[in-house]
Amino acid sequence: MPNAASSVAWDDFRLIKAIAEARSLPAAAELIGLNHSTVFRRLGQIEESLGTRLFERHRSGYVPTPAGEEMAVLAERLETDIAGFTRRLAGREILPAGELRVTTNDSLLVELLTPLFAAFMRQCPDIKLDVLLGNQALNLSKRDADVAIRATDNPPENLIGRRVAQIGWALYGRATDFPEGAPADQSELTQQRWISLGDQFSNFKVVQYRQKHIPADQTVYKLNTVLGLAEAVEAGIGIGFLPCFIADKRPSLVRLAPPQTGYAADLWLLTHPDLRQSPRVRLFLDFMAQELTKLRPLMEGGAMGREDAAAPSPAEI
């Protein structure tokens, strides 16, 4: 009878968890950075050492047996415990040095953050930044990233952070198409051709406005990224709502309506509670908060003037 307790390593748990999540060996191999044949061979070795089958092989994929499901659940718990341990160690570090993983989205990075990151690295040359782009927040609890910079009205409850500004949105058109600026009769704007984020972004208030007030056949161009909106308006495809920090830097664009607080989203600097005292994280958060606060007029569109924009949240650090 194999001695299972001494023959199963942490990497074996990771492999079983990956197969259970992916339901196929090629997909599991991609998740953990191995090739298909290696995963197939190691699964056989693990099952042999444990003396039990961990997956049933069906046409629909690999389905965990009760033993395989139990092992995958234990692997998830182990992964959470290990991530928590490394976070706590990172929170006790003495010197602000090493790698800092920051997640944000492409429009914030390209239009706002890169010069600030450069200034931070000049000030703190011993800290290296690993920037991860994506519109979905990574799991800071599992150290996918140390800091998240996000525009959101609902930051995750398990994170702490500070709200540094609001991202204002306003309606813009191409300056050559509106040489007199915004028309006196704003109802004329609903007759224009429109560009917009796609319907999958219906949580955005500007998309909700477009869906409610603009006929579907007048929305001629949709995108799944904020970064391309301004280029579409500059190209003369149509008018549309744009973030003020992007559009106001482009002389080829003109505001057709003022920013409205109802369309704005809060900009947050977020981290995990275990990392709040890490010198790297603390230094980065303090620097970014200071620099982004200076850019609040640009981000908020200049005339938004919300008095509570700097009010602390319950989780503020």
Side-chain angles (χ1 to χ4, degrees), residues 220-271:
V220 298
Y221 190 76
K222 296 179 185 177
L223 301 91
N224 67 349
T225 172
V226 173
L227 197 58
L229 289 174
E231 281 78 6
V233 177
E234 281 186 319
I237 296 176
I239 68 173
F241 287 104
L242 308 176
C244 296
F245 76 89
I246 296 176
D248 286 345
K249 295 186 294 184
R250 303 182 183 226
S252 61
L253 300 179
V254 62
R255 277 191 196 178
L256 301 178
Q260 297 186 32
T261 54
Y263 299 157
D266 293 329
L267 182 64
W268 287 86
L269 298 172
L270 300 166
T271 190

Side-chain angles (χ1 to χ4, degrees), residues 92-119:
R92 297 188 199 114
E93 66 185 11
I94 298 173
L95 297 175
E99 185 174 86
L100 187 71
R101 306 191 82 192
V102 181
T103 179
T104 189
N105 63 43
D106 52 4
S107 56
L108 286 172
L109 178 73
V110 172
E111 299 286 349
L112 191 68
L113 297 177
T114 297
L116 305 187
F117 289 170

Side-chain angles (χ1 to χ4, degrees), residues 3 8 22 32 35 44 48 57 64 85 93 145 172 188 206 213 215 252 255 259 267 290 308 316:
N3 185 352
V8 182
I32 56 180
N35 61 53
E48 183 178 356
R57 284 69 166 171
F85 172 71
E93 66 185 11
Y172 291 84
E188 294 178 16
V206 291
H213 297 285
S252 61
R255 277 191 196 178
L267 182 64
Q290 177 179 321
D308 65 340
E316 183 165 350

Side-chain angles (χ1 to χ4, degrees), residues 59-269:
R59 287 187 176 182
S60 59
Y62 278 60
V63 179
T65 64
E69 190 168 336
E70 184 177 355
M71 192 169 177
V73 169
L74 179 56
E76 177 70 27
R77 191 159 67 244
L78 287 170
E79 186 176 77
T80 300
D81 289 346
I82 291 170
F85 172 71
T86 57
R87 283 198 316 271
R88 290 188 292 275
L89 285 184
R92 297 188 199 114
E93 66 185 11
I94 298 173
L95 297 175
E99 185 174 86
L100 187 71
R101 306 191 82 192
V102 181
T103 179
T104 189
N105 63 43
D106 52 4
S107 56
L108 286 172
L109 178 73
V110 172
E111 299 286 349
L112 191 68
L113 297 177
T114 297
L116 305 187
F117 289 170
F120 173 77
M121 296 179 72
R122 286 193 295 270
Q123 180 173 303
C124 306
D126 293 329
I127 297 179
K128 299 176 177 62
L129 296 184
D130 182 4
V131 181
L132 308 170
L133 292 183
N135 288 313
Q136 300 299 320
L138 298 182
N139 192 333
L140 271 64
S141 296
K142 294 185 178 180
R143 294 298 303 279
D144 289 339
D146 301 308
V147 174
I149 305 176
R150 291 285 184 219
T152 176
D153 293 327
N154 299 293
E157 293 182 358
N158 64 319
L159 303 181
I160 59 174
R162 63 184 78 176
R163 184 177 65 186
V164 292
Q166 283 196 310
I167 302 295
W169 289 68
L171 184 64
Y172 291 84
R174 189 168 59 169
T176 55
D177 296 334
F178 296 90
E180 304 300 322
D185 183 359
Q186 290 279 295
S187 65
E188 294 178 16
L189 297 175
T190 61
Q191 308 304 315
Q192 298 287 326
R193 290 157 54 92
W194 280 66
I195 63 99
S196 173
L197 290 172
D199 293 332
Q200 67 268 40
F201 292 92
S202 58
N203 59 312
F204 280 55
K205 297 158 190 171
V206 291
V207 176
Q208 294 169 15
Y209 174 91
R210 187 263 301 166
Q211 291 172 329
K212 184 176 180 180
H213 297 285
I214 305 304
D217 60 355
Q218 287 176 224
T219 302
V220 298
Y221 190 76
K222 296 179 185 177
L223 301 91
N224 67 349
T225 172
V226 173
L227 197 58
L229 289 174
E231 281 78 6
V233 177
E234 281 186 319
I237 296 176
I239 68 173
F241 287 104
L242 308 176
C244 296
F245 76 89
I246 296 176
D248 286 345
K249 295 186 294 184
R250 303 182 183 226
S252 61
L253 300 179
V254 62
R255 277 191 196 178
L256 301 178
Q260 297 186 32
T261 54
Y263 299 157
D266 293 329
L267 182 64
W268 287 86
L269 298 172

